[in-house]
Amino acid sequence: MNPKQIFLLFLLVAGCSAPETKNSPSFYKKISALESIKGKSQYVASPFVAAGDRVYLVGHQDGSFPDIGWHITGEMGGIWDHPIKLMDGFTAAIKAKEGREVYCLNNADQFTNFPIGNSHHFTWKEENIEIDRVQFIPDGVEGAIVEFTIHNQSQKNKELIFSFTGMIDLRPTWLGERTNMVDAEDQVTFDNNLSAVVAKDKDNPWHVVFGSSGRATVGQAEDLCPKQLRKGLGKDATLSYSVIVNANDEVIIPFYIAGSYQSEDALRANYDVLKTQGQALLEKKMDRFKKIDEASHLTIPDKEVQRMYEWLKYNTDWLTRNVLEQGRGLSAGLPDYPWWFGADATYALQGALVTGDHQLAKSTILLLHQLSKKTNSNGRIVHEVSTNGSVYNAGNVNETAQFITLVNTYYAWTGDKELVSQLFPDLKKGIQWLLGEKDPDGNRYPNGSGMMEIPGLESELEMIDVAVYTQQAVASAASLATALGDIATASEYQKIADELKVKIDTEWWQPKESSFGDFRGTVAEAMPVLNAALVRSDTLGKTWAVKELETTKKNMASYSVGKRIPHVIYHNWVVNTPMETGIADSVKARAALTKAKAYENAFGAFVTGIDRTEEADSVVLKSRRKVFSYTGAVMTLPTSVLAVGAARYAGADEALHYVKKLQQSFSYALPGSMYEVSPDFGMMTQAWNIYGVAVPLINYIFGIQPKAFDKSIYLSPQLPVSWKDASIENVKMGANSLSLTINLKNDYKEYRISQTIADWNIFIDVKKTKKILVNDKEVAVKSISNNWLKISGKELVVKIY
């Protein structure tokens, strides 16, 4: 940061122009009345986020704003209004008017997270003063509100100086230079009419303003806290306040921080909205989050899992980015992935769909489609796009396949045929790209990189996840073609999908390993990958893995030259995708799920099995690493894939086994959130986390599988053994909403079902049933077709004996 600093004096005289009175509306009091989770003292020096859909703020739980992140080194924290950054953060300090001692508000003794904001509590013991800082980011506005409440716990009136320093740093997002976003020096002035600091990037229409209530006059002020050396072309500006806090009383000082990357007029309009409508915006957001909680609302015996589920819905909202020039979509994670990813969205949006945010799913699908069509003309889906619209990676092979399946899942939950009609021509291009250009040998296994970012596995080999997700995509495209009345295309696709399912189950299985292969290729193609794995394992000191790989190397000598076979080398998590998608036959699936347990710890599944740690303290990762790396990581996505696979093949208790592993990481470092790498590394909140919790619970444990396009709901609940009662309310599907309460009695199970539209058909799995009552009327078991009981109506009570 340029060391030059501008000092401004903001004089507020108690009794006539005090910042606020104790009777003024308080953001802190309203927010602190909400559900909350307190942070841990050992993690105060780790990140938190307060987010709206336009702006978000990232700092540390202790109240400081250190340099954070690696995507733009040290710049991923602070206050962002994508595609620009507004500020690196701010500092605040307090001192007695006649004293010398300064108390900097960067060492909070308690951090508390709320669904729509967060607070930091500070204690100045020497002066018997406590301070609460709360931040709230409204929706639809380029700005943030930060409020300080100073509590005088003493019996004496206190005359204080309060200073607020904004660390201005107007700069472009990652890849900004590709769209001619070039950072320049920030110019800072004091606007007497606004009583606020206004800054502009010298060469760009990027602006930020911050200030408080009351009038201000200009003069010399002092930044009371030590200066932090920072990179960039920004400047600091300080506002100081003279404040009297009466004995056993409090004073509230709100700050309004607004931005615009378009014009100064827009900046001033945003600032005015924050100051005049802040309380209304808070109430509006509180109402909206109440609706988020009410949608697909769970009541289950495991209250820890229930709480995690609830907060992951909030996490999804925190990660919603609305950049008007690009669109509104679910970003991947914070602080380093605040933009959009193809693969990440295909997992995360399954969770968004089952928890009721169909509009977010639709807007993200449209955003990815639009960006992909602009970048690729062949149906290929992009991998990573910055918020200025610049595409970093045109798309890994798996992402096109997964996107097609996502659209099919979206259609099942929404019945939105119009969107399917709009996208289907490009989805067909995507199938052609997968089975044409990416499949040079015509065996229906596209060549190229999938989810694994490991040297050797980013080449043009055949990868297990690419093959599996391609089969799923072709089957999904067949369903979509049927919906559109294109029977010839549907028949063609379904034939390919059916053949692929059998082929993958057969040709990718390695019986010696009880596992599907990481990849498929000849010995000549596999040897460089194996040698790279040996180097990796030896470097990491994994002697067991080196021994195993040496044996694998010897066994390769017996394989036919030139014959493609499945190779199990890295034990990567993607070998479990055949179970996730339902491709594996039941015998292989159970064997593979048993094998998978060898590559997990208390928090979940290792990304790469040969990185497995065997030391006694391995259950807690040593996460304070200086260099960002996924080597040796246990991640939430591999664990989520196992949770879904276990739900499909091994039942509710095995699915819950993995959901509980995810729960071990919930609130571990950031209260109310779950890190990308378990338990406390990488992104502090990650979009795909909801996939591994909401999908196993709703699709499999509650067994809800809608077909909104034909007004049908399929129910096949399977509760864990220890659960006797469970309910889910307001599950949105199309125009309908379903609620289901399950009670397991000694000799029967009872389903209490309600739906808002009476004429939707509900099909209930009644296999191995002796007697059925629907609203106390017996239904002849022999009359039931294919083990599915068909019923309809708004209120239904079904007893199955």
Side-chain angles (χ1 to χ4, degrees):
M1 171 64 70
N2 189 320
K4 182 179 180 183
Q5 182 141 358
I6 292 180
F7 298 111
L8 301 168
L9 180 60
F10 194 2
L11 296 176
L12 298 171
V13 183
C16 65
S17 59
E20 294 288 346
T21 71
K22 64 180 180 179
N23 296 319
S24 297
S26 166
F27 290 97
Y28 172 69
K29 288 177 181 176
K30 286 185 177 180
I31 291 173
S32 61
L34 301 173
E35 177 187 5
S36 65
I37 303 179
K38 292 187 179 298
K40 302 174 183 176
S41 59
Q42 61 267 43
Y43 280 99
V44 292
S46 66
F48 78 93
V49 60
D53 60 350
R54 297 296 305 275
V55 165
Y56 64 85
L57 177 155
V58 169
H60 269 192
Q61 295 176 37
D62 59 13
S64 66
F65 287 90
D67 289 345
I68 291 175
W70 58 269
H71 235 122
I72 308 173
T73 304
E75 296 284 5
M76 301 308 295
I79 304 174
W80 280 87
D81 175 15
H82 279 282
I84 68 165
K85 187 176 189 177
L86 302 178
M87 299 168 68
D88 287 332
F90 50 83
T91 63
I94 190 170
K95 69 184 290 288
K97 190 171 184 179
E98 302 302 328
R100 293 184 177 181
E101 184 181 354
V102 174
Y103 185 77
C104 292
L105 303 183
N106 58 6
N107 59 346
D109 47 60
Q110 182 64 66
F111 172 80
T112 305
N113 217 358
F114 305 94
I116 57 172
N118 14 66
S119 70
H120 315 258
H121 184 268
F122 304 88
T123 303
W124 190 7
K125 294 181 181 178
E126 291 77 8
E127 291 290 336
N128 206 6
I129 287 175
E130 296 186 9
I131 305 100
D132 286 297
R133 181 188 116 193
V134 65
Q135 47 265 330
F136 154 64
I137 317 293
D139 295 325
V141 182
E142 294 170 88
I145 297 172
V146 182
E147 181 185 81
F148 297 88
T149 303
I150 304 173
H151 310 270
N152 181 2
Q153 308 282 24
S154 74
Q155 302 301 314
K156 298 180 180 179
N157 295 347
K158 300 280 188 179
E159 291 189 62
L160 305 170
I161 301 295
F162 182 91
S163 72
F164 180 97
T165 299
M167 301 187 292
I168 299 159
D169 188 11
L170 293 159
R171 60 149 299 136
T173 188
W174 182 58
L175 305 182
E177 68 281 358
R178 294 189 180 182
T179 54
N180 298 316
M181 298 178 72
V182 180
D183 194 15
E185 183 181 358
D186 295 335
Q187 300 173 328
V188 182
T189 60
F190 180 77
D191 187 301
N192 191 54
N193 290 327
L194 290 180
S195 296
V197 173
V198 179
K200 178 188 180 297
D201 181 280
K202 183 170 67 72
D203 296 337
N204 298 283
W206 309 336
H207 300 80
V208 66
V209 56
F210 63 86
S212 187
S213 53
R215 295 296 305 159
T217 57
V218 180
Q220 283 294 309
E222 180 183 2
D223 181 4
L224 299 177
C225 292
K227 298 178 180 63
Q228 175 185 338
L229 293 177
R230 293 175 287 119
K231 298 177 181 179
L233 300 173
K235 289 187 174 71
D236 293 353
T238 298
L239 301 175
S240 290
Y241 303 72
S242 178
V243 180
I244 295 176
V245 190
N246 294 328
N248 295 307
D249 206 348
E250 66 185 30
V251 168
I252 299 169
I253 308 177
F255 276 89
Y256 308 96
I257 304 168
S260 174
Y261 52 85
Q262 294 176 328
S263 70
E264 185 173 344
D265 286 345
L267 174 81
R268 292 174 181 273
N270 291 331
Y271 189 68
D272 183 66
V273 167
L274 294 176
K275 292 190 72 174
T276 61
Q277 301 177 36
Q279 291 290 337
L281 290 168
L282 174 59
E283 293 286 351
K284 185 178 180 181
K285 190 157 188 173
M286 289 170 65
D287 288 344
R288 191 171 65 78
F289 266 69
K290 184 180 178 183
K291 290 183 175 66
I292 291 173
D293 176 54
E294 292 171 347
S296 295
H297 183 80
L298 279 184
T299 303
I300 56 177
D302 193 323
K303 298 306 177 186
E304 291 180 334
V305 169
Q306 181 176 317
R307 193 178 207 192
M308 168 180 64
Y309 166 86
E310 291 168 353
W311 278 78
L312 287 178
K313 292 196 289 181
Y314 306 148
N315 290 184
T316 300
D317 195 85
W318 300 348
L319 292 169
T320 300
R321 294 274 73 75
N322 187 10
V323 180
L324 299 186
E325 293 75 17
Q326 310 304 330
R328 181 176 184 268
L330 182 59
S331 65
L334 288 170
D336 275 288
Y337 302 129
W339 34 76
W340 306 293
F341 286 73
D344 296 59
T346 64
Y347 294 107
L349 292 179
Q350 292 181 65
L353 284 166
V354 301
T355 55
D357 202 340
H358 297 180
Q359 188 56 48
L360 177 61
K362 181 175 183 175
S363 64
T364 308
I365 287 169
L366 285 170
L367 174 63
L368 289 171
H369 174 254
Q370 163 202 317
L371 293 168
S372 298
K373 194 168 184 178
K374 184 178 178 181
T375 303
N376 307 307
S377 59
N378 53 5
R380 182 182 182 183
I381 298 299
V382 294
H383 171 64
E384 183 175 8
V385 189
S386 187
T387 50
N388 64 339
S390 182
V391 175
Y392 177 70
N393 177 339
N396 296 327
V397 184
N398 60 293
E399 289 165 297
T400 298
Q402 289 177 278
F403 183 80
I404 295 167
T405 298
L406 171 64
V407 174
N408 190 45
T409 304
Y410 169 82
Y411 183 53
W413 278 91
T414 67
D416 186 353
K417 191 173 181 180
E418 182 180 347
L419 183 67
V420 173
S421 299
Q422 177 184 341
L423 299 184
F424 194 67
D426 288 315
L427 301 185
K428 288 177 68 176
K429 288 182 181 179
I431 295 291
Q432 185 177 354
W433 180 70
L434 289 167
L435 299 182
E437 179 182 336
K438 300 306 295 180
D439 182 30
D441 61 4
N443 65 358
R444 306 294 195 195
Y445 303 143
N447 293 37
S449 56
M451 287 296 295
M452 293 309 303
E453 297 178 349
I454 288 180
L457 293 185
E458 297 176 310
S459 62
E460 291 298 304
L461 293 172
E462 295 172 352
M463 310 295 177
I464 180 61
D465 55 324
V466 172
V468 165
Y469 290 140
T470 296
Q471 188 279 336
Q472 197 181 29
V474 180
S476 294
S479 296
L480 295 172
T482 299
L484 297 176
D486 188 349
I487 304 305
T489 299
S491 178
E492 176 191 353
Y493 286 167
Q494 192 60 56
K495 183 174 183 295
I496 294 170
D498 292 344
E499 292 172 353
L500 263 178
K501 185 174 182 179
V502 174
K503 276 166 59 70
I504 292 170
D505 189 49
T506 304
E507 297 178 355
W508 284 82
W509 180 251
Q510 182 50 266
K512 293 179 181 179
E513 298 285 351
S514 295
S515 174
F516 290 92
D518 292 310
F519 66 98
R520 190 170 172 274
T522 65
V523 171
E525 290 170 330
M527 196 60 70
V529 178
L530 189 145
N531 288 333
L534 275 167
V535 170
R536 180 188 181 109
S537 295
D538 185 56
T539 302
L540 295 175
K542 308 298 182 186
T543 54
W544 70 269
V546 172
K547 183 178 179 180
E548 178 183 296
L549 290 167
E550 291 287 5
T551 301
T552 300
K553 193 171 187 176
K554 290 178 183 177
N555 290 339
M556 280 190 181
S558 64
Y559 298 156
S560 300
V561 176
K563 182 179 179 181
R564 285 202 173 102
I565 60 171
H567 296 278
V568 181
I569 291 177
Y570 280 102
H571 297 288
N572 290 316
W573 67 268
V574 291
V575 300
N576 299 311
T577 55
M579 286 74 76
E580 175 201 20
T581 58
I583 284 177
D585 69 65
S586 60
V587 174
K588 293 186 180 77
R590 291 190 177 92
L593 289 170
T594 299
K595 182 64 177 281
K597 291 184 180 297
Y599 306 104
E600 61 186 54
N601 69 8
F603 296 100
F606 283 88
V607 174
T608 297
I610 61 171
D611 291 353
R612 183 189 68 203
T613 303
E614 296 186 313
E615 289 78 6
D617 64 350
S618 64
V619 291
V620 179
L621 296 179
K622 307 304 181 185
S623 65
R624 302 275 73 88
R625 309 172 202 175
K626 293 184 178 180
V627 178
F628 187 87
S629 171
Y630 290 116
T631 300
V634 169
M635 289 181 70
T636 52
L637 181 60
T639 310
S640 297
V641 165
L642 277 168
V644 174
R648 279 186 180 272
Y649 291 96
D653 283 284
E654 275 301 300
L656 187 61
H657 164 80
Y658 288 107
V659 172
K660 290 290 288 182
K661 283 185 179 292
L662 291 170
Q663 189 266 323
Q664 295 299 308
S665 294
F666 176 70
S667 289
Y668 193 96
L670 175 59
S673 187
M674 186 191 303
Y675 269 62
E676 169 199 21
V677 179
S678 306
D680 61 358
F681 189 64
M683 302 306 102
M684 63 177 150
T685 186
Q686 183 78 14
W688 63 38
N689 291 343
I690 197 169
Y691 171 64
V693 177
V695 170
L697 285 171
I698 296 175
N699 283 155
Y700 296 98
I701 290 179
F702 279 92
I704 300 172
Q705 303 278 354
K707 292 184 178 179
F709 51 83
D710 69 359
K711 299 182 179 180
S712 299
I713 306 167
Y714 289 77
L715 300 179
S716 184
Q718 48 166 340
L719 296 188
V721 172
S722 62
W723 295 13
K724 303 305 178 186
D725 303 281
S727 68
I728 187 166
E729 302 168 83
N730 307 315
V731 183
K732 182 180 178 182
M733 46 196 73
N736 199 5
S737 179
L738 174 86
S739 295
L740 170 66
T741 298
I742 303 170
N743 301 112
L744 302 185
K745 310 294 185 179
N746 289 333
D747 56 346
Y748 68 93
K749 50 191 175 186
E750 179 184 86
Y751 301 154
R752 291 187 172 270
I753 304 166
S754 65
Q755 59 177 344
T756 54
I757 302 177
D759 65 355
W760 278 46
N761 291 319
I762 299 173
F763 296 85
I764 302 176
D765 186 352
V766 290
K767 288 192 293 288
K768 300 179 181 179
T769 297
K770 296 179 181 178
K771 180 180 177 182
I772 302 170
L773 297 178
V774 178
N775 290 346
D776 293 326
K777 294 182 180 180
E778 186 168 354
V779 176
V781 175
K782 290 183 180 179
S783 67
I784 296 171
S785 174
N786 299 318
N787 296 315
W788 289 98
L789 170 66
K790 179 182 177 182
I791 56 177
S792 62
K794 279 195 171 184
E795 302 291 336
L796 301 159
V797 178
V798 180
K799 296 179 181 179
I800 302 173
Y801 294 80

